[in-house]
Amino acid sequence: MDHDNLDWMLRYVDVEPFAESLAHQKVLHKFTESDRLSFFETLHNWFHRVTEATGTIDRFFSIGGYTVRLSFATQNMADKLTQAISHLEVLPTEQPALTIHLWDNVATATRLPGLLPAFMRLFHWYWHEYLDPRQNVKPLCSDRFQMHFNVGPNIFSALDQQRNIGLYWMADTAGLPYWERGSPLQTLLNWWTSSQNRQYVHAAAVGTSSGGVLLTAKGGSGKSTSALACLNSDLTYASDDYCLVSTDPVPYVYSLYNTAKLKGAKDLERFPELAPLVSNGDRLDEEKALIFLKEHFPEKIVTGFPLKAILVPKITGELDTRISKATPILALKSLAPSTLFQLSGTGQSALNMMSSLVRKIPCYTLELGTDITHIPPVILDLLNTVNKF
């Protein structure tokens, strides 16, 4: 495919009803790296054109120990996508490790140029041809570029790993799903942090300044309940759903989102004191309850701590909560499947890091009793023991 020809069409061709047909032909053709660069740069340059008159809203956050700049076209999008990471906000810097540009059509009163709208429609209509099972856009992905189309809300994410630039576009921020507000930019950040030796994991984390534990299990096993039970204890909270881990030089967990997610009436019954804090209480018939804990428990939310142990929660039905020794294999089986299934871009390198993690720190089963107030002191007792070594 001729690079200059594709570049011209991406920017300028906009003739209906032939746009979809032309885009379809180009997508079906195997893209070269130059074609991917043209696609990325057309979007990248368009963001700057959209914001050249109004400027951008720039916010800076510490993600896994690196400063990331989020450059928004509108305040509305900034408000919706930073609530969950507000505890990670830091002072601006002129040289962030990663910059992500974020905008939508409706709020900026713009439309993507050239053939780009046709490509986006094709990714939506013919997802079975162009997207892999994790919704990565197959013709547009390579060692340098990652591109993803989230069907439904139709959010397009792209990352140039050579220049550390990300793009995040959607037609209308009003269509932002609740789970994207609760765990924003998960796809982009997972791609990028993986290249920085930081691994996204589907796990909770609680602890003290001296160290903490990773709570990992499939949904419904008590992971989130265990983490939220610690809000009324001497333990601090880093996550109840997703966090970042590293193994070098020592195992460490970094907080990502301060969002608590409660599913259904039973979860709300376990934590009646949290019910008034739910941000989307009028939509619980179709959404999980979201609570942005930084707004209500600022003293409990931390950015991370050394990892001292991995706990695999297991509901027993008995009254008391206990700790028993577990194998690294059990911990890996609890941690890896949900992480690999849920996160775009995870693969062998992610499995290797998780395998290393479970071998470096002790693993235990957290045998959960029916009285959740017993959970925090059991975890604290364990930490007091392992911190001595």
Side-chain angles (χ1 to χ4, degrees):
M1 188 186 301
D2 181 72
H3 173 204
D4 293 333
N5 187 42
L6 176 65
D7 186 73
W8 178 80
M9 287 189 295
L10 282 169
R11 295 170 188 270
Y12 304 114
V13 173
D14 186 17
V15 181
E16 300 289 356
F18 305 109
E20 275 82 7
S21 176
L22 187 57
H24 193 50
Q25 293 175 40
K26 294 302 178 185
V27 175
L28 284 175
H29 195 290
K30 184 177 180 180
F31 270 47
T32 66
E33 197 71 343
S34 293
D35 298 327
R36 297 184 187 99
L37 177 60
S38 287
F39 197 102
F40 187 96
E41 276 303 282
T42 302
L43 271 173
H44 186 204
N45 291 334
W46 185 248
F47 170 83
H48 289 296
R49 181 174 175 182
V50 166
T51 58
E52 65 183 353
T54 59
T56 59
I57 296 95
D58 289 353
R59 307 274 295 275
F60 294 78
F61 301 88
S62 178
I63 307 294
Y66 295 93
T67 299
V68 174
R69 174 172 61 197
L70 303 185
S71 186
F72 296 92
T74 64
Q75 187 64 54
N76 181 48
M77 183 177 260
D79 292 341
K80 288 187 174 182
L81 286 172
T82 60
Q83 204 169 4
I85 56 174
S86 61
H87 63 303
L88 303 177
E89 191 155 11
V90 294
L91 293 174
T93 178
E94 292 185 2
Q95 294 184 321
L98 170 69
T99 294
I100 302 175
H101 303 295
L102 309 95
W103 78 107
D104 74 340
N105 281 358
V106 172
T108 59
T110 60
R111 181 179 183 272
L112 295 179
L115 276 184
L116 284 174
F119 276 106
M120 298 303 179
R121 288 194 291 270
L122 285 178
F123 300 152
H124 175 64
W125 292 338
Y126 300 99
W127 56 267
H128 53 286
E129 292 187 47
Y130 301 127
L131 308 184
D132 70 13
R134 295 179 180 178
Q135 302 189 67
N136 297 312
V137 184
K138 292 183 288 186
L140 296 177
C141 292
S142 67
D143 289 341
R144 174 178 175 179
F145 294 103
Q146 293 291 333
M147 304 199 201
H148 180 273
F149 189 80
N150 193 327
V151 179
N154 295 345
I155 299 170
F156 184 81
S157 303
L159 177 67
D160 180 347
Q161 298 187 105
Q162 186 176 105
R163 293 181 296 169
N164 293 315
I165 298 172
L167 306 173
Y168 182 98
W169 169 88
M170 64 185 305
D172 186 359
T173 304
L176 192 74
Y178 81 95
W179 39 262
E180 185 69 5
R181 286 187 62 211
S183 306
L185 308 178
Q186 186 182 99
T187 296
L188 271 169
L189 292 176
N190 179 48
W191 287 334
W192 187 77
T193 54
S194 295
S195 66
Q196 312 303 315
N197 296 314
R198 306 284 190 265
Q199 180 58 52
Y200 252 81
V201 290
H202 181 220
V206 295
T208 68
S209 58
S210 299
V213 299
L214 199 68
L215 295 149
T216 176
K218 64 181 181 179
S221 298
K223 167 176 60 66
S224 294
T225 296
S226 298
L228 293 175
C230 296
L231 288 173
N232 292 317
S233 75
D234 291 335
L235 290 162
T236 56
Y237 170 103
S239 165
D240 77 3
D241 203 13
Y242 295 104
C243 49
L244 283 176
V245 296
S246 64
T247 57
D248 187 28
V250 297
Y252 197 91
V253 63
Y254 298 90
S255 177
L256 280 167
Y257 309 118
N258 67 71
T259 319
K261 299 176 183 177
L262 300 175
K263 184 179 180 181
K266 285 188 176 180
D267 277 357
L268 287 171
E269 288 173 5
R270 291 188 190 100
F271 301 100
E273 71 280 9
L274 297 181
L277 312 181
V278 173
S279 66
N280 56 337
D282 58 332
R283 300 185 298 278
L284 297 186
D285 55 333
E286 55 188 29
E287 299 178 0
K288 287 184 179 181
L290 296 182
I291 303 171
F292 297 102
L293 296 174
K294 171 65 162 53
E295 299 173 6
H296 308 288
F297 302 91
E299 75 286 354
K300 303 300 293 185
I301 310 304
V302 295
T303 58
F305 38 68
L307 270 179
K308 299 297 185 177
I310 295 176
L311 303 184
V312 181
K314 177 183 177 182
I315 297 173
T316 66
E318 299 180 11
L319 177 63
D320 295 328
T321 294
R322 297 182 298 272
I323 293 276
S324 61
K325 194 68 177 174
T327 65
I329 291 297
L330 175 64
L332 185 62
K333 285 182 176 179
S334 299
L335 180 62
S338 59
T339 296
L340 295 172
F341 177 76
Q342 294 189 31
L343 297 170
S344 170
T346 51
Q348 188 60 48
S349 62
L351 183 60
N352 291 343
M353 179 172 281
M354 289 184 281
S355 298
S356 174
L357 180 66
V358 301
R359 293 194 302 269
K360 285 191 171 186
I361 54 178
C363 304
Y364 301 89
T365 299
L366 180 64
E367 300 175 11
L368 296 173
T370 55
D371 187 345
I372 64 174
T373 63
H374 291 178
I375 297 172
V378 169
I379 295 176
L380 274 169
D381 284 345
L382 174 68
L383 286 174
N384 288 335
T385 300
V386 297
N387 281 331
K388 292 178 182 177
F389 299 98

